[in-house]
Amino acid sequence: MSKKTLVIGGGIAGITAAQKIAQNGGEVILIEKEAELGGNFAKLAFTFPVLGDAKALVAKEIDAVKSAAGVEILTYTTLQSCQGSAGDFTVELKSASGTRSENVAAIIVAAGFHYMEPTAYTEYSYGRSKNVVTSLEFEKMAAENRLPQGKARVVFVHCVGSRDKAKGYRYCSKICCSYSAKHAIMMKKANPQSLNYVFYIDIRALGKGYEEFIRSAMEEYNVRYIRGRVAKVIENEGKLIVRAEDSLIGNPVEVEADLVVLASAMEPPEGSRELAQVLGIATDEYGFFQETEANVRPVNSSKPGIFLAGSCTQPMEIAASVAMGGLAASEALTLIK
Ligand SMILES: Cc1cc2nc3c(=O)[nH]c(=O)nc-3n(C[C@H](O)[C@H](O)[C@H](O)COP(=O)(O)OP(=O)(O)OC[C@H]3O[C@@H](n4cnc5c(N)ncnc54)[C@H](O)[C@@H]3O)c2cc1C
Ligand code: SF4
C-alpha cells in the first residue's frame, strides 16, 4: 500500500504541508493547476504586519519545496477522480500530457481562495473607471512601481462584497482591515506627498500586532480613517468623487480622489464544489471546504484521510495558512505511520 500524500494546491498552505511531510521522511505529490507555485501570496508586494518583502518570502518557500527530497511537483495538473478510503485512495491526475493514476494514503486539500471581482458594485464605478481598482490590483501596481505620484489622494474602501448579504457575502473577509492599512502605509511610504483615506464600518484586526499596525497607519502615517459606508464613486473630468456618510458625526462626506481601492471579498476557490464532489467531502453554504469539528479538528474534512489547509476553509492570512498546512501534514503523517 502507498505511503504517499497528495497535496492539492501549491499556495503557501500546500507548500508548507508538502515541506513538513518531506522533512519527516514522507513522500508527496503536490499538484497545482497553474503554471507556477505560490498562489495568491506570489501576487502580493508586501505583507502585514511587518511590511515583509512578499516576493522574497514566497520565493524562499518555493525553492525549499522544490528542492525537498520526496516531493514531486506537477503543475498544470488537477484531480479528475478519487476512489477508496483513508490509507488507500486511488486518484486520477489530469494534465496536458494526459491522465495518470496514483495510489495515495492521504489527501490534503489546499486549494486557497478566489478574489471577488466587484463587478456587481456598479455604484463604485469598478470596470468603468481605470482609477478604481481592487486591493489585489493595488498590490500589482505597488510591485511594478505604478502608484500615483505627487499630491495624489487615495481612498481605500473596506467591506466590498463582505458583510453584505444583498450583493455579496454575509461573512467578514477577516484580513482586509489589516491589508488596507498596509496599502495606505505602502502608499505613504512610496509617495510621502499622498493623502490617504480609509472608509470603514468597524475595524477587525485579530492577530498579533495587527491592531498596533492599523494604529500606526493612523498615527505615524496620518491616514485619515472615516467611519461610514461609501454610497457612490463617480468620475468627473478625470477626478473621482467618493460619497459616503460619516456615521460618527451623521453628516454626508465627499472626498476627491485620484485612485479608489476596493477591499473586495475573499471567496471560495473556483470549482470548489466540483472538487468537493470528486473527493466526496462537504462544503459550507458558500463553497468553502467544511471542517468536521472546527473547534477541535480544524483540518479534518468530512471524510477520514482527507485533510484541509489554508484559505480554502475560510478567509485567512499567511501565518494561519502556514499553521494549518503544518497541522494537516502532521495528521497525514499520523495516518501513514
Ligand atoms: C489583496 C490581498 C492582500 C493580502 N495581504 C496579505 C498580507 O499582507 N499578509 C498576510 O498574511 N496575508 C495577506 N493576504 C492573504 C494571503 O494572500 C493568503 O493568506 C494566502 O495566499 C493563503 O494561502 P493559501 O495557500 O491558503 O491559498 P492560495 O494562495 O489561494 O493558494 C492556493 C493554490 O491552489 C491552487 N489551486 C486551486 N484550486 C486547485 C485545484 N483544483 N487543483 C490544483 N490547484 C489548485 C491555486 O492555483 C493556488 O496556487 C492578502 C490577500 C489579498 C487578497
Ligand atoms: S476584515 Fe474589515 S474590511 Fe474586511 S470584511 Fe471584515 S470588517 Fe470589512
Side-chain angles (χ1 to χ4, degrees):
M1 197 191 298
S2 167
K3 291 200 169 227
K4 284 183 187 173
T5 300
L6 173 70
V7 177
I8 304 171
I12 193 63
I15 289 175
T16 306
Q19 277 192 65
K20 294 289 168 219
I21 293 171
Q23 280 162 5
N24 285 282
E27 277 182 78
V28 179
I29 303 173
L30 171 59
I31 60 167
E32 165 56 53
K33 70 179 170 66
E34 304 293 341
E36 301 288 342
L37 300 182
N40 283 293
F41 190 174
K43 297 178 187 163
L44 307 181
F46 293 97
T47 55
F48 70 76
V50 285
L51 287 195
D53 177 342
K55 307 279 180 226
L57 285 167
V58 77
K60 198 167 153 217
E61 300 306 316
I62 293 172
D63 287 349
V65 78
K66 281 186 173 168
S67 55
V71 180
E72 183 183 10
I73 297 170
L74 304 173
T75 54
Y76 285 132
T77 303
T78 53
L79 177 72
Q80 194 166 41
S81 69
C82 174
Q83 308 292 330
S85 56
D88 187 16
F89 292 106
T90 301
V91 293
E92 196 125 30
L93 308 178
K94 189 176 168 223
S95 68
S97 51
T99 55
R100 149 180 171 184
S101 188
E102 282 284 342
N103 188 236
V104 297
I107 298 173
I108 296 175
V109 184
F113 68 95
H114 182 256
Y115 201 56
M116 195 191 88
E117 279 277 300
T119 41
Y121 290 80
T122 46
E123 65 271 36
Y124 296 157
S125 291
Y126 182 76
R128 276 206 307 274
S129 168
K130 65 176 177 28
N131 295 321
V132 180
V133 301
T134 66
S135 300
L136 203 52
E137 288 162 345
F138 182 87
E139 294 275 353
K140 190 163 192 278
M141 288 169 73
E144 294 170 357
N145 292 321
R146 290 191 288 110
L147 296 182
Q149 300 296 306
K151 289 190 174 158
R153 283 168 177 250
V154 183
V155 170
F156 298 90
V157 182
H158 279 190
C159 303
V160 177
S162 307
R163 306 174 70 194
D164 177 13
K165 68 175 180 206
K167 281 198 281 184
Y169 299 102
R170 268 187 299 133
Y171 58 81
C172 161
S173 285
K174 196 182 153 200
I175 61 165
C176 11
C177 282
S178 300
Y179 72 59
S180 293
K182 173 186 76 173
H183 291 162
I185 293 174
M186 280 159 62
M187 189 61 227
K188 192 71 181 173
K189 276 175 154 284
N191 175 0
Q193 289 187 68
S194 62
L195 285 174
N196 298 289
Y197 300 80
V198 173
F199 280 91
Y200 71 100
I201 300 176
D202 48 44
I203 304 286
R204 297 184 174 179
L206 298 175
K208 189 174 177 179
Y210 296 4
E211 172 72 23
E212 297 91 319
F213 182 69
I214 293 176
R215 198 138 287 283
S216 80
M218 297 173 189
E219 292 169 1
E220 285 168 45
Y221 295 93
N222 295 321
V223 179
R224 184 152 173 233
Y225 274 71
I226 304 171
R227 190 164 195 261
R229 216 185 240 284
V230 171
K232 218 166 180 48
V233 179
I234 50 173
E235 196 163 32
N236 187 15
E237 292 173 3
K239 284 277 178 197
L240 296 165
I241 314 285
V242 180
R243 288 201 182 124
E245 176 165 295
D246 187 325
S247 57
L248 283 183
I249 53 172
N251 281 345
V253 275
E254 216 172 75
V255 174
E256 202 178 83
D258 299 282
L259 182 68
V260 171
V261 184
L262 306 177
S264 194
M266 287 167 80
E267 55 187 13
E270 284 176 311
S272 66
R273 287 195 168 90
E274 292 77 4
L275 179 57
Q277 205 171 10
V278 168
L279 290 164
I281 61 173
T283 55
D284 65 16
E285 60 181 297
Y286 305 108
F288 285 111
F289 293 91
Q290 181 69 57
E291 315 85 344
T292 33
E293 290 174 78
N295 286 331
V296 288
R297 310 225 180 285
V299 300
N300 290 54
S301 77
S302 55
K303 190 169 186 173
I306 303 185
F307 306 103
L308 310 172
S311 57
C312 63
T313 59
Q314 58 176 296
M316 68 176 67
E317 70 274 51
I318 294 161
S321 306
V322 167
M324 264 187 106
L327 185 55
S330 108
E331 292 286 347
L333 284 163
T334 305
L335 175 75
I336 290 161
K337 285 180 175 163

